[in-house]
C-alpha cells in the first residue's frame, strides 16, 4: 500500500529483559522512572517476574548489553533506586500545591513506595530495539487495512503500543461485521472508511499525548520541570481525570 507515512527516530534504544525480583511479592504495580537518558520501566508479569523496558541512548544501550548479567542487574538497581538532586523551588511549589489540594480534600500524596529490588534476569532475555514514531495518513485501500504497528508506532513510555493495535482490531472486526450484516463485501471501501475514521480519531489523540509526554520528560528546563511536576501531582489528586485518561488509553 502506497501511503504517506510520517516518521522520526527518537535516537534512543529500548532494552527489554525478563527480570527476576529479589523476593516474591504482590507484584501488581507498573513502575516507571524518568532518567536523564530516558525512562526505565518495569511491568509486572507474575509475583516473581517483571518485564523491563529501559530507554536510553544507543551508546549507553550498547554498553549495558555488553555487561555481564550480574553487572547489568547492579546498574539496573542503581537506575531504579538512586536519588537525584531536586530543585528547592520545585519542592516548595509541590508542597504548596499539596497543601492546597488537601484543603480541597483531594490529597495527591499516596503512601510512598519504591520499586521492588531486582535479583537477576532470565538468562539471555536481554534484547534491544530502536525507538521511533510513525503514523500512516491512510489506514485503508480497497481490500486492505493496516492495523497495529503497521499503521502507527509510538514511544514505549506509556506502554500503549499494543493497546492501540488491539483497539484497531476490535474496530475493524465491528466494521467488517457491519458490512457482512448489510449484505456488502469485506473489501467495501465505504465500510473500511469507517474503520479508518474511527481509529485515526482515537489514535492521533493518544499518539499526540504520548509525544507530548515524551517531550516534556525529555528536558531539564526549570519551568517545564515545574509544570510537569505540578501537572502530575494534580492528575494524581483528581480521580475523575485519572479515570477519564485510563478509559481513553484502554480503548
Ligand atoms: C522496546 C519496546 C518496548 C515496548 N513496550 C511496550 C509495552 O510495554 N506495552 C505496549 O503496549 N507496547 C509496547 N511496545 C510496542 C509493542 O511492542 C507494539 O505496539 C506491538 O508489538 C505491535 O504489534 P503488531 O502485531 O502490530 O506488530 P509486531 O509486533 O511488529 O508484529 C509484526 C510481525 O510481522 C512480522 N513481519 C513483518 N514483515 C513481514 C513480512 N513481510 N512477512 C511476514 N511477516 C512479517 C514481524 O516479524 C513481526 O513478527 C514496545 C515496543 C518496543 C520496541
Amino acid at each position: 500500500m502506497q501511503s504517506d507515512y510520517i516518521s522520526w527516530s527518537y535516537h534512543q534504544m529500548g532494552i527489554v529483559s525478563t527480570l527476576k525480583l529479589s523476593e516474591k511479592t504482590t507484584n501488581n504495580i507498573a513502575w516507571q522512572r524518568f532518567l536523564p537518558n530516558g525512562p526505565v520501566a518495569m511491568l509486572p508479569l507474575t509475583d516473581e517476574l517483571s518485564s523491563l523496558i529501559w530507554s536510553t541512548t544507543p551508546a549507553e544501550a550498547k554498553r549495558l548489553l555488553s555487561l555481564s548479567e550480574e553487572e547489568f542487574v547492579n546498574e539496573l538497581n542503581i537506575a531504579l533506586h538512586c536519588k537525584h538532586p531536586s530543585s528547592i523551588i520545585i519542592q516548595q511549589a509541590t508542597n504548596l500545591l499539596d497543601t492546597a489540594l488537601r484543603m480541597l480534600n483531594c490529597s495527591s500524596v499516596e503512601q510512598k513506595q519504591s520499586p521492588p529490588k531486582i535479583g537477576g534476569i532470565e538468562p539471555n532475555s536481554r534484547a534491544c530495539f530502536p525507538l521511533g514514531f510513525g503514523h500512516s495518513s491512510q489506514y485503508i485501500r480497497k481490500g486492505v487495512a493496516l492495523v497495529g504497528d503497521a499503521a502507527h508506532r509510538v514511544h514505549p513510555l506509556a506502554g500503549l503500543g499494543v493497546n492501540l493495535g488491539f483497539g484497531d482490531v476490535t474496530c475493524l472486526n465491528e466494521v467488517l461485521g457491519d458490512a457482512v450484516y448489510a449484505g456488502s463485501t469485506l473489501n467495501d471501501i465505504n465500510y473500511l472508511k469507517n474503520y479508518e475514521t474511527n481509529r485515526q480519531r482515537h489514535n492521533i489523540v493518544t499518539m499526540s499525548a504520548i509525544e507530548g509526554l515524551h517531550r516534556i520528560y525529555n528536558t531539564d528546563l526549570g519551568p517545564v520541570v515545574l509544570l510537569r511536576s505540578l501537572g502530575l501531582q494534580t492528575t494524581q489528586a483528581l480521580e475523575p481525570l485519572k479515570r477519564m485518561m485510563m478509559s481513553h488509553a484502554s480503548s
Side-chain angles (χ1 to χ4, degrees):
M1 181 188 291
Q2 282 246 318
S3 161
D4 290 331
Y5 187 76
I6 307 164
S7 65
W8 58 80
S9 164
Y10 287 117
H11 306 294
Q12 281 184 328
M13 301 295 285
I15 302 176
V16 295
S17 180
T18 304
L19 308 176
K20 295 188 214 164
L21 307 186
S22 58
E23 57 186 275
K24 204 170 169 179
T25 173
T26 313
N27 188 20
N28 56 8
I29 298 176
W31 293 94
Q32 178 150 255
R33 189 162 195 216
F34 289 87
L35 299 170
N37 284 342
V40 56
M42 283 169 58
L43 307 176
L45 291 174
T46 68
D47 285 351
E48 287 161 284
L49 297 176
S50 280
S51 187
L52 170 74
I53 304 147
W54 191 350
S55 309
T56 187
T57 60
E60 181 63 357
K62 198 171 165 197
R63 188 187 71 79
L64 288 168
L65 289 181
S66 72
L67 299 176
S68 70
E69 293 186 346
E70 200 181 319
E71 289 166 337
F72 178 79
V73 168
N74 280 342
E75 295 241 2
L76 176 60
N77 277 320
I78 292 170
L80 288 168
H81 298 278
C82 72
K83 291 224 183 314
H84 285 277
S86 65
S87 145
I88 295 197
I89 297 177
I90 291 169
Q91 267 179 19
Q92 284 176 343
T94 51
N95 287 346
L96 212 64
L97 177 63
D98 190 57
T99 313
L101 289 168
R102 275 170 193 275
M103 285 162 74
L104 293 169
N105 261 347
C106 33
S107 172
S108 65
V109 175
E110 297 249 305
Q111 217 179 7
K112 281 262 186 252
Q113 290 180 315
S114 43
K117 277 246 156 96
I118 311 306
I121 60 174
E122 289 282 326
N124 303 317
S125 67
R126 273 181 296 178
C128 180
F129 302 90
L131 302 181
F133 175 98
H135 188 253
S136 174
S137 61
Q138 291 176 311
Y139 288 7
I140 57 154
R141 281 280 199 276
K142 193 168 167 38
V144 179
L146 297 180
V147 295
D149 274 27
H152 41 69
R153 221 175 130 209
V154 289
H155 195 286
L157 70 87
L160 285 179
V162 169
N163 274 23
L164 291 180
F166 286 161
D168 293 345
V169 173
T170 306
C171 178
L172 184 60
N173 187 38
E174 280 167 15
V175 164
L176 294 180
D178 290 346
V180 170
Y181 191 69
S184 186
T185 55
L186 290 180
N187 65 0
D188 187 329
I189 199 81
N190 295 315
Y191 283 93
L192 290 178
K193 195 83 199 147
N194 291 340
Y195 160 71
E196 182 180 75
T197 308
N198 284 345
R199 286 317 289 168
Q200 288 201 341
R201 219 174 261 162
H202 181 277
N203 292 346
I204 290 170
V205 172
T206 310
M207 294 175 79
S208 307
I210 296 172
E211 187 55 26
L213 277 177
H214 171 69
R215 287 180 190 208
I216 59 175
Y217 275 100
N218 206 22
T219 177
D220 51 9
L221 205 68
V224 180
V225 175
L226 176 63
L227 279 177
R228 80 179 178 218
S229 307
L230 298 179
L232 197 65
Q233 206 176 348
T234 310
T235 310
Q236 172 67 16
L238 298 179
E239 272 300 321
L241 179 62
K242 256 198 315 191
R243 271 202 298 274
M244 197 181 79
M245 288 165 77
M246 284 193 284
S247 150
H248 180 88
S250 59
S251 64

